[in-house]
Amino acid sequence: MRLLVLLPCQPFPAYNGQTHRLALVARSLAERHHVALAALVEPGQKAEIDAATRALFAEIALAPLEPPAPGLSEALGQRLSSNPADVYRFRSDAMAAHVAGLVARHDPEAILVGDPALTPYVEGLAGRALVLDYVCEVTLQLERIAALAGPIERPLWSLRRAKYARFLKRIEPLYDAAFLNSREDVEALARIWPRAKLLHVANGLDLTAYPLGLAAPVADRLIYPGSIGYPPNRDAVAWFAAEVLPLIRAERPEVTLRVTGAVPPGTEIEAPGVVLTGRVEDVRLEIAAATATVVPLRLGAGGARFKVIESMALGTPLVGTAVGIEGLELTDGTDYLAAETAADFAAATLRLLGDPALSARIAAGGRRRMERDYDWNTHFRTLEARIEASIRRPSAIAI
């Protein structure tokens, strides 16, 4: 196949769940097909791609995210527009020129779009198969944020959700298929799009890159692998630090929580026992060195959940909420320990810290589940086949 992959961020090297997913999809396609890649570069991302990765692609074009135009009229125009804010955030003249040039030079049969807000770049390209790899379904995320918001903020979040839903409904005729990495995401988008267009493609890993024994676990060390710049991650860490960690440290005072990932200014969390590492060179080493991973998520859509599958692959036992393991079909007590309330979360974590046999059993169960159900090569073949089918039977229309 001849493909154009259009991404909202530069995913090489991957540094969070979204970039892991996008990197896996883009790399896997490039290893088997003729793929041109266009990606926006966010502030703080590398503007270069290593030579080995670059050699996989027929051509790569990167464009820096351009700051929004200043002024009250621009801000008011965005508020009144039918497009959500992310459409404006991803707007780039350089990217528009890159897409036009790549289409002219490579004549792609299909275009894979890594975020709905990138749709304006492909609206004039009807006649080619268009597919969406939708990492985190926004209407579900906004619905959950609204549910936990206060009475003043709740209507604002609900209005944002309604606006995004209208946008998704408007762009639906363009797309032949959408890939979502959780069944909950599928159910949310099925309220707006025809179910026949939606395909659940769960995340997975190339397990050869995740051998057991990468590092020796450090006693009383917990980890949350995720940037608190992402609001659901920040909420999870803040709740854990305020409500759960004090219960744990009351029994085991030496317990610490290491939080990996970027710490944008103004998002810092200061609490006894919490260590913000910032981005690390290899998060696998951090996960392998933890006694347990905690995933106390309460917000967000199904999302990527790479923090969960990487932990299971590396043999680090895990405690998580239902939202925390969403998108993965796991068994409580075998693959991980489930907890929802602060007291239950603290109790489950203390069990792992104090019972080596239980910890070993959960670790082994998680690794077996990864080997059985979350091999990325198997999931990728499902995605690849749907793109091929879309090329044979394109149905998208111009809007």
Side-chain angles (χ1 to χ4, degrees):
M1 295 186 288
R2 297 188 311 279
L3 303 169
L4 170 62
V5 173
L6 175 60
L7 302 182
C9 51
Q10 199 286 84
F12 303 107
Y15 60 87
N16 60 19
Q18 180 188 34
T19 54
H20 269 288
R21 168 74 175 211
L22 297 177
L24 274 172
V25 171
R27 184 186 297 275
S28 299
L29 288 169
E31 288 172 346
R32 296 162 176 81
H33 303 282
H34 180 98
V35 176
L37 171 67
L40 291 164
V41 181
E42 295 184 319
Q45 285 188 303
K46 289 187 176 181
E48 293 294 330
I49 295 177
D50 67 272
T53 300
R54 185 173 285 275
L56 294 173
F57 294 89
E59 187 176 350
I60 293 177
L62 303 177
L65 273 179
E66 301 169 355
L72 179 61
S73 60
E74 177 73 11
L76 185 61
Q78 291 185 26
R79 289 291 181 89
L80 297 177
S81 169
S82 61
N83 288 328
D86 279 350
V87 170
Y88 289 91
R89 187 165 70 88
F90 292 150
R91 189 170 56 184
S92 163
D93 292 339
M95 178 54 73
H98 285 328
V99 170
L102 292 171
V103 168
R105 290 190 292 276
H106 298 276
D107 189 24
E109 301 166 276
I111 301 174
L112 183 140
V113 179
D115 191 287
L118 296 173
T119 300
Y121 292 112
V122 300
E123 282 184 324
L125 301 176
R128 308 170 196 273
L130 295 178
V131 297
L132 176 66
D133 191 40
Y134 200 176
V135 175
C136 186
E137 208 289 310
V138 172
T139 64
L140 178 58
Q141 178 179 338
L142 293 175
E143 182 179 294
R144 288 176 171 170
I145 293 174
L148 288 180
I152 296 176
E153 297 86 0
R154 188 174 299 122
L156 299 176
W157 288 111
S158 297
L159 285 172
R160 287 185 62 185
R161 182 201 172 280
K163 183 174 184 177
Y164 211 99
R166 290 193 297 270
F167 169 70
L168 288 172
K169 186 171 185 178
R170 180 173 67 81
I171 67 174
E172 175 270 318
L174 272 175
Y175 287 95
D176 298 280
F179 309 124
L180 300 109
N181 50 213
S182 84
R183 299 191 190 281
E184 292 80 3
D185 285 327
V186 170
E187 292 300 321
L189 191 56
R191 304 175 197 172
I192 305 166
W193 285 28
R195 185 176 290 274
K197 287 190 175 185
L198 311 183
L199 185 64
H200 175 216
V201 181
N203 288 312
L205 296 172
D206 176 2
L207 293 177
T208 61
Y210 289 83
L212 295 173
L214 275 182
V218 177
D220 288 333
R221 176 184 291 183
L222 307 176
I223 188 170
Y224 183 85
S227 169
I228 58 174
Y230 177 51
N233 284 345
R234 177 172 172 75
D235 175 82
V237 173
W239 178 74
F240 189 88
E243 304 292 336
V244 182
L245 192 56
L247 299 178
I248 295 172
R249 285 168 60 90
E251 294 195 27
R252 301 180 72 103
E254 300 304 314
V255 170
T256 59
L257 172 68
R258 292 173 67 83
V259 183
T260 64
V263 184
T267 66
E268 299 87 349
I269 293 175
E270 295 184 6
V274 174
V275 179
L276 305 179
T277 69
R279 285 183 184 167
V280 296
E281 186 172 347
D282 189 343
V283 75
R284 297 175 306 165
L285 298 178
E286 287 280 345
I287 294 172
T291 306
T293 297
V294 294
V295 188
L297 279 164
R298 306 187 299 167
L299 303 176
R305 301 300 183 261
F306 274 88
K307 57 179 65 69
V308 175
I309 60 176
E310 287 188 308
S311 296
M312 293 195 304
L314 292 166
T316 301
L318 179 131
V319 183
T321 59
V323 173
I325 59 96
E326 193 169 82
L328 304 168
E329 297 176 0
L330 307 182
T331 301
D332 177 25
T334 300
D335 308 319
Y336 81 115
L337 296 182
E340 297 298 327
T341 68
D344 288 346
F345 213 111
T349 306
L350 285 166
R351 287 173 62 202
L352 286 179
L353 295 175
D355 188 341
L358 172 65
S359 180
R361 179 165 60 80
I362 297 298
R367 176 70 187 199
R368 283 195 302 270
R369 176 70 73 172
M370 288 298 303
E371 293 170 349
R372 184 170 69 246
D373 295 333
Y374 295 102
D375 183 325
W376 170 247
N377 292 322
T378 300
H379 295 180
F380 172 72
R381 286 194 289 271
T382 301
L383 181 149
E384 181 183 42
R386 185 60 174 266
I387 296 176
E388 290 173 340
S390 297
I391 291 173
R392 292 195 297 270
R393 297 186 299 275
S395 60
I397 60 174
I399 58 174

